[in-house]
Amino acid sequence: MQTLKDREKNRLVKKFHILLGRYGIDEDTKKELLAQFGTTSSVHLSAAQLIELCGLVEEAGNPAIAGQDKWRKRLMAAIGAWCRATGREENAAYIKAVACRAADREHFNQIPQAVLRNLYYEFKDKQKCRDAVNAIDAERALEVICLN
């Protein structure tokens, strides 16, 4: 009788092979992917390694996924910088919550790439505006000090 862990691993091995077929990945590329994990067969990998491997196959086969991931990371960095600049808490859960609220979505991974990109630029603009205002305040403070 198979354990739950064995069934999950078998499901992931099947998913890996389905993804290979879906994206038309040839045998040589498959061997290169498996070599990154130090094996020649997907059966010898752990469930965690199989999950990572399936992610690599999806990124290789579908560049849009990699693009979305890139914009998610950029948006998180921009929101994190904004949090630091404004003295707010800075952790992944808070940053994702801010992004979800700004995008009007329930989950961070539901935000489409176009919205991720727009939000990224909005938060970068917020930082630029804040820096410009701080520079003006600093100049005025120097003028007041020089006049006294």
Side-chain angles (χ1 to χ4, degrees):
M1 185 169 166
Q2 280 189 328
T3 65
L4 182 62
K5 189 175 178 180
D6 291 336
R7 284 193 304 251
E8 178 66 13
K9 185 176 173 183
N10 288 340
R11 186 190 68 77
L12 288 167
V13 169
K14 286 177 188 175
K15 179 180 178 180
F16 171 63
H17 289 282
I18 289 169
L19 290 172
L20 290 175
R22 178 183 299 159
Y23 297 121
I25 296 176
D26 62 359
E27 192 67 26
D28 292 333
T29 307
K30 173 185 158 187
K31 287 179 183 177
E32 289 175 17
L33 288 168
L34 290 170
Q36 292 178 18
F37 293 90
T39 187
T40 57
S41 174
S42 57
V43 178
H44 299 123
L45 297 174
S46 68
Q49 289 173 320
L50 284 164
I51 290 170
E52 185 178 346
L53 182 60
C54 288
L56 290 172
V57 172
E58 287 196 87
E59 278 186 20
N62 189 352
I65 292 173
Q68 283 180 329
D69 191 46
K70 176 179 77 170
W71 282 106
R72 279 188 190 94
K73 289 176 182 175
R74 283 183 176 178
L75 176 58
M76 287 185 70
I79 294 172
W82 174 75
C83 288
R84 281 190 300 278
T86 57
R88 289 177 169 83
E89 72 176 290
E90 182 190 358
N91 62 50
Y94 181 77
I95 290 170
K96 288 178 182 179
V98 169
C100 288
R101 186 168 183 193
D104 195 27
R105 301 289 174 153
E106 288 288 319
H107 302 285
F108 186 64
N109 289 337
Q110 290 177 337
I111 303 173
Q113 184 172 338
V115 176
L116 292 168
R117 185 175 42 246
N118 291 341
L119 288 174
Y120 166 78
Y121 287 118
E122 288 295 324
F123 276 94
K124 293 299 279 183
D125 287 344
K126 279 180 168 278
Q127 288 174 254
K128 286 180 186 176
C129 289
R130 188 174 192 285
D131 292 344
V133 168
N134 287 343
I136 291 169
D137 286 345
E139 286 177 18
R140 288 197 179 143
L142 284 176
E143 288 176 5
V144 169
I145 291 171
C146 291
L147 292 175
N148 289 332

